[in-house]
């Protein structure tokens, strides 16, 4: 059984892929995971830089600033998605964690796919429900205040920053992978306009 929530475009998977990485987190020692994420992000940042090239003689300062903002947004989004996927991945299922970037018309589309256990799925569903019932800016500031008070590691500010600061679109697809133990595959999609 599968369920789609938010802005999720199935057609993007047809032939718009420009980049994909796959991790088998159960095979990476816990002490090496942060380093693995940093190395992956460094590679991805260099890879994405190819899409944001600047001419030295570029006279249009507005264009130059827009490209820098886009590069910064792409790096932030990629880092947030990869970090969340690694952090919440249910490694006992031994399913690969995937990260991909697609280019569809004038959108860069970031996609992660990882497996989660029931507890993580419930937390994510609660967040999505609260998000759909809230104004994004108000929810963002509520979470900032809550995070400052509680010092929680699960502020969910990454998704809210993606929506609030970069005006991107978020969507999810949930698919049951196993009933016993209960494992669900979560595909998270972020669409970032490049124009």
């Amino acid at each position: 059984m599968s369920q789609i929530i938010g802005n999720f475009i199935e057609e993007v998977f047809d032939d718009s892929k420009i980049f994909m990485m796959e991790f088998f987190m159960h095979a990476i020692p816990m002490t090496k995971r942060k380093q693995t994420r940093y190395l992956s992000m460094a590679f991805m940042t260099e890879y994405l830089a190819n899409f944001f090239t600047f001419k030295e003689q570029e006279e249009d300062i507005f264009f130059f600033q827009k490209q820098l903002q886009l590069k910064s947004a792409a790096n932030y989004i990629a880092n947030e998605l990869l970090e969340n996927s690694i952090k919440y991945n249910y490694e006992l299922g031994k399913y690969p964690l995937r990260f991909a970037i697609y280019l569809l018309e004038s959108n860069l589309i970031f996609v992660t796919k990882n497996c989660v256990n029931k507890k993580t799925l419930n937390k994510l569903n609660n967040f999505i429900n609260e998000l759909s019932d809230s104004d994004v800016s108000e929810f963002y500031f509520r979470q900032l205040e809550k995070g400052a008070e509680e010092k929680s590691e699960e502020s969910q500010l990454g998704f809210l920053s993606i929506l609030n600061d970069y005006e991107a679109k978020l969507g999810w697809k949930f698919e049951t992978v196993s009933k016993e133990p209960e494992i669900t595959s979560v595909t998270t999609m972020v669409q970032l306009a490049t124009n």
Side-chain angles (χ1 to χ4, degrees), residues 2-195:
S2 70
Q3 176 187 17
I4 292 178
I5 299 174
N7 294 291
F8 196 92
I9 306 171
E10 293 266 13
E11 300 78 44
V12 77
F13 301 113
D14 294 339
D15 56 354
S16 306
K17 188 183 314 166
I18 57 174
F19 177 81
M20 179 182 263
M21 289 193 308
E22 193 170 75
F23 303 91
F24 290 88
M25 296 310 294
H26 63 278
I28 301 172
M30 199 64 92
T31 57
K32 296 289 185 185
R33 290 188 185 173
K34 191 175 259 189
Q35 182 182 8
T36 299
R37 183 173 61 86
Y38 289 147
L39 289 171
S40 301
M41 281 310 305
F43 173 78
M44 219 175 312
T45 300
E46 289 301 313
Y47 186 83
L48 283 171
N50 291 318
F51 294 93
F52 306 106
T53 56
F54 309 108
K55 297 176 185 169
E56 286 183 30
Q57 301 85 15
E58 186 59 63
E59 306 237 350
D60 186 351
I61 192 72
F62 177 76
F63 174 80
F64 182 73
Q65 288 174 332
K66 176 76 175 161
Q67 289 296 90
L68 282 176
Q69 289 170 346
L70 187 57
K71 182 179 179 181
S72 174
N75 286 332
Y76 180 83
I77 290 167
N79 186 55
E80 280 299 316
L81 288 179
L82 190 57
E83 182 176 10
N84 281 345
S85 295
I86 290 172
K87 184 176 179 180
Y88 297 110
N89 189 55
Y90 184 60
E91 63 189 63
L92 296 180
K94 297 188 178 180
Y95 295 97
L97 180 154
R98 292 189 180 106
F99 177 88
I101 301 172
Y102 298 81
L103 187 59
L104 184 65
E105 297 167 7
S106 60
N107 289 319
L108 266 179
I109 300 174
F110 303 84
V111 177
T112 57
K113 183 175 184 176
N114 64 302
C115 289
V116 297
N117 61 20
K118 187 175 183 176
K119 182 179 175 185
T120 301
L121 180 63
N122 288 339
K123 285 182 183 179
L124 180 57
N125 277 323
N126 289 339
F127 169 77
I128 293 170
N129 288 335
E130 190 171 356
L131 178 62
S132 64
D133 293 338
S134 301
D135 173 77
V136 173
S137 295
E138 289 175 16
F139 190 19
Y140 178 69
F141 287 110
R142 254 193 342 263
Q143 289 301 106
L144 278 174
E145 290 171 351
K146 184 179 172 183
E149 291 170 9
E150 297 176 5
K151 304 285 188 229
S152 171
E153 286 187 27
E154 295 185 16
S155 66
Q156 299 158 328
L157 285 172
F159 284 146
L160 291 170
S161 290
I162 288 169
L163 292 169
N164 193 61
D165 300 344
Y166 301 111
E167 298 176 3
K169 296 177 183 175
L170 268 172
W172 293 270
K173 182 176 183 178
F174 301 96
E175 299 173 281
T176 302
V177 174
S178 166
K179 292 194 186 261
E180 209 42 60
E182 191 171 327
I183 302 172
T184 303
S185 144
V186 178
T187 305
T188 304
M189 178 179 285
V190 176
Q191 300 172 50
L192 177 67
T194 60
N195 54 6

